[in-house]
Amino acid sequence: MMYKKIFKAIKSYNNIVIARHVGIDPDAMASQVALRDSIKLTFPEKNVYAVGSGSVRFNFMGKLDKGLDYSKMNNILLIVLDTPDRKRVDIEEDIHYDCSIKIDHHPFIEKFCDIEVIDDNKSSASEMVYDLIKDTKLEINKDICEVLFAGIVADTNRFLFNNSKAETFLTVSEMI
């Protein structure tokens, strides 16, 4: 599956930048912070950054990484979450990456990454990040689960939207 290919890419890069869409929302923030923290937990020697404009409303999920000097980094893997098109990616223009990955639950708009996993049957990017962690050797802990849970709850409007499927409830039950 594609998640194994993503894990292989994560293993092979020491500099990983994780971005998401402009206009931050809880699912975008949760998936981004959780993936960063999972990669750092699994590979403590890697430089992993969650970037973009934040919001103090979501500080309970973690902090974004600020003030990065991309000119001092080489061999960068860019992972874009929760964003179907390039123009909505919240990232500085001066980043030069060697490989890019998109993980998204919105309907396809355009291909702009080397590896793309798009599943518009998923409730949220947070659910997809959980699947990535579960299906690979990425590590997870209670804090990561809590952040992903918050992302799923937000993007499903407390499981009221029709994107809440049996699979969503199974994912959340595993997290709990």
Side-chain angles (χ1 to χ4, degrees):
M1 188 174 179
M2 292 300 286
Y3 288 140
K4 303 281 190 233
K5 194 172 186 178
I6 292 171
F7 182 76
K8 187 175 181 181
I10 289 169
K11 271 180 66 171
S12 65
Y13 284 89
N14 285 326
N15 294 305
I16 301 170
V17 176
I18 304 171
R20 39 92 193 135
H21 61 73
V22 295
I24 191 168
D25 63 33
D27 178 42
M29 176 79 171
S31 59
Q32 184 183 31
V33 168
L35 182 57
R36 177 198 60 198
D37 294 351
S38 177
I39 295 170
K40 284 178 143 181
L41 185 64
T42 310
F43 303 105
E45 72 284 356
K46 292 187 182 292
N47 304 308
V48 188
Y49 308 103
V51 300
S53 301
S55 171
V56 294
R57 293 182 2 213
F58 308 132
N59 279 353
F60 70 94
M61 293 184 189
K63 302 280 187 195
L64 296 176
D65 301 292
K66 301 287 182 195
L68 300 179
D69 185 356
Y70 297 113
S71 68
K72 294 185 178 177
M73 292 184 219
N74 58 5
N75 296 325
I76 298 173
L77 171 64
L78 174 65
I79 302 175
V80 178
L81 302 171
D82 201 29
T83 313
D85 52 347
R86 180 188 306 269
K87 71 182 179 200
R88 293 199 62 231
V89 178
D90 188 0
I91 195 163
E92 296 171 25
E93 295 295 321
D94 65 341
I95 182 171
H96 299 285
Y97 49 86
D98 298 273
C99 181
S100 59
I101 296 170
K102 174 171 72 170
I103 301 172
D104 188 36
H105 70 107
H106 297 99
F108 177 82
I109 292 180
E110 69 174 312
K111 179 172 174 43
F112 63 92
C113 289
D114 301 309
I115 301 169
E116 296 196 348
V117 178
I118 301 162
D119 188 346
D120 59 5
N121 288 311
K122 292 291 183 178
S123 69
S124 57
S126 294
E127 185 176 358
M128 293 183 74
V129 167
Y130 179 78
D131 289 345
L132 169 65
I133 293 169
K134 183 180 73 172
D135 293 349
T136 64
K137 293 181 181 179
L138 286 173
E139 295 183 27
I140 195 164
N141 61 24
K142 180 180 180 283
D143 293 335
I144 294 168
C145 278
E146 287 176 355
V147 169
L148 289 172
F149 179 82
I152 293 171
V153 168
D155 243 33
T156 62
N157 192 26
R158 300 174 332 273
F159 307 105
L160 296 173
F161 290 159
N162 64 2
N163 64 351
S164 303
K165 299 182 172 46
E167 188 176 50
T168 309
F169 288 103
L170 179 61
T171 296
V172 169
S173 72
E174 289 174 5
M175 287 179 182
I176 293 171

